[in-house]
Amino acid sequence: DNTFETSFGHRRNTNSSISDMSFSSEMDSMSPMSSSLNSICPADVRDTEVQGSIQFALTYIQKLGEFQIFVVLCRGLAVADPKKNRTDYVKCSLLPDKTKLGKKKTSVKKKTLSPTYNEVLGFKIPMEVLRIQHLNITVSHKDTFGRSSFLGEVDLDLSVWDFSNTQINEFPLKAKVGEVQIWVKDCKNLLPVRGSMINPFVTVLPDMSSKSRQKTRVVKRTVNPMFNHTMVYEGFRLDDLREICVEITVWDQDHLKNYYIGGLRLGLGTRSYEVDVVWMDSTAHEVNLWNRMLKSNAEWVEEVLPLR
């Protein structure tokens, strides 16, 4: 069911943007419910310093309905681990719709700072959808324990890309944009909106696109659900995190529809990109958590917040 009904008498279509939802004045008062512990961290700033470049070509095959990235090589990559053998690979993602299309990776290349790949990575996607995506190409180093170190990225806005250009292009690698991680731990003393027991789950909507909405599993028949679910959102810059709002909502799942229980809005509670918006209404506690995250230098911050 794509439509959720809130406890305040209005309906929200989850295919719409976050700006379509405005809380009633009843949301201004805190309910006697405690939210999950939300831990948020920005991108890991401890990665290797970025240097070097990558060569690739892009093409769209109309007959196949497939977008193809021909990954040629990298030059002059940074040294992630000078004491051990190197294994480097290239990962391609389409943003914001990574969840449906997934990530495509090349093979790994060992013992070189200028690996050659000559591999084609493909996404089955209509051209009209491709035109509203960003292509993110990331180069990473994988150590013997399977842990990855970021070596650089290229981010292309495909809405302005010339798809008649099928030549091999060389781009300098750049430092990565931010990553926000949200760890939803649990909820306490949820207020049932129908009967005595509920089937709660949590959704998170971090920006203007409902495609980016993620949710936890449903925990059945409890007012104290334990989720321990981590959600990861990539592609943010630090300046963006000052302008957006992360909306976290708790729902009760029923057979025919989902009932709204309560929510949070994490942000600075100010204007968004110089525009007054109704959803930038974070409380003092919510603003404090967001500020702590912005200053945390890739460390987890943790809080218990009341739902409203």
Side-chain angles (χ1 to χ4, degrees):
D1 188 348
N2 286 331
T3 305
F4 291 168
E5 183 169 354
T6 75
S7 58
F8 301 108
H10 64 276
R11 298 177 72 82
R12 172 192 176 187
N13 188 320
T14 56
N15 291 329
S16 64
S17 71
I18 190 172
S19 59
D20 291 335
M21 181 179 180
S22 59
F23 291 110
S24 73
S25 58
E26 293 176 61
M27 287 289 286
D28 294 336
S29 60
M30 297 294 182
S31 65
M33 296 182 289
S34 176
S35 80
S36 61
L37 298 171
N38 297 294
S39 299
I40 307 171
C41 68
D44 189 348
V45 297
R46 295 166 292 187
D47 281 315
T48 305
E49 185 177 352
V50 173
Q51 66 182 51
S53 62
I54 183 170
Q55 286 187 4
F56 60 89
L58 306 181
T59 187
Y60 187 80
I61 311 299
Q62 291 285 354
K63 279 188 176 181
L64 301 177
E66 184 173 82
F67 175 51
Q68 296 184 348
I69 304 105
F70 176 42
V71 182
V72 183
L73 56 82
C74 295
R75 300 180 193 269
L77 296 177
V79 178
D81 189 348
K83 296 182 180 179
K84 297 186 178 179
N85 295 340
R86 299 187 49 74
T87 57
D88 298 311
Y89 64 93
V90 175
K91 177 182 70 176
C92 295
S93 305
L94 290 177
L95 308 173
D97 204 11
K98 303 188 304 301
T99 34
K100 288 185 180 179
L101 297 174
K103 302 173 183 178
K104 310 294 183 180
K105 297 180 181 180
T106 66
S107 59
V108 297
K109 303 298 179 183
K110 298 183 179 181
K111 301 181 182 180
T112 177
L113 298 176
S114 297
T116 298
Y117 299 97
N118 288 326
E119 297 180 31
V120 175
L121 308 177
F123 294 90
K124 291 283 189 180
I125 182 172
M127 175 56 85
E128 61 270 20
V129 178
L130 183 63
R131 285 283 191 186
I132 60 173
Q133 305 288 313
H134 278 246
L135 172 64
N136 180 265
I137 301 176
T138 302
V139 183
S140 298
H141 160 76
K142 183 174 287 186
D143 66 17
T144 53
F145 299 102
R147 296 172 299 194
S148 294
S149 296
F150 175 84
L151 298 180
E153 74 172 6
V154 173
D155 188 79
L156 297 178
D157 183 353
L158 296 181
S159 68
V160 296
W161 180 260
D162 179 10
F163 282 91
S164 65
N165 172 18
T166 58
Q167 303 299 309
I168 294 175
N169 304 274
E170 184 161 358
F171 286 84
L173 293 170
K174 297 183 178 181
K176 68 178 175 181
V177 294
E179 178 180 279
V180 176
Q181 299 178 9
I182 301 174
W183 180 8
V184 180
K185 289 188 174 181
D186 57 25
C187 295
K188 300 289 188 185
N189 304 318
L190 295 178
L191 182 66
V193 292
R194 56 176 186 92
S196 58
M197 300 301 293
I198 59 177
N199 301 316
F201 66 97
V202 176
T203 66
V204 179
L205 184 68
D207 61 14
M208 297 297 290
S209 170
S210 61
K211 291 181 180 179
S212 62
R213 177 171 58 92
Q214 297 185 45
K215 66 180 181 180
T216 66
R217 73 187 191 283
V218 176
V219 182
K220 295 187 177 181
R221 301 183 61 78
T222 178
V223 295
N224 299 294
M226 175 69 71
F227 297 107
N228 267 333
H229 184 94
T230 302
M231 305 178 190
V232 179
Y233 297 91
E234 298 173 317
F236 291 106
R237 291 175 173 82
L238 183 59
D239 289 343
D240 294 326
L241 296 180
R242 301 182 186 282
E243 306 291 341
I244 67 166
C245 165
V246 169
E247 182 178 285
I248 302 176
T249 51
V250 185
W251 301 84
D252 176 15
Q253 184 187 65
D254 194 12
H255 296 298
L256 300 178
K257 62 181 179 181
N258 298 302
Y259 294 86
Y260 177 78
I261 297 176
L264 310 167
R265 280 177 171 156
L266 303 179
L268 295 182
T270 56
R271 307 177 81 198
S272 175
Y273 298 104
E274 310 258 331
V275 177
D276 290 319
V277 288
V278 295
W279 42 266
M280 272 293 204
D281 63 349
S282 300
T283 67
H285 293 292
E286 294 164 354
V287 170
N288 178 59
L289 177 59
W290 196 251
N291 265 322
R292 286 167 53 205
M293 182 271 294
L294 293 176
K295 300 173 182 177
S296 67
N297 195 23
E299 299 293 332
W300 286 96
V301 296
E302 189 170 306
E303 189 59 85
V304 178
L305 293 172
L307 297 174
R308 54 188 176 103

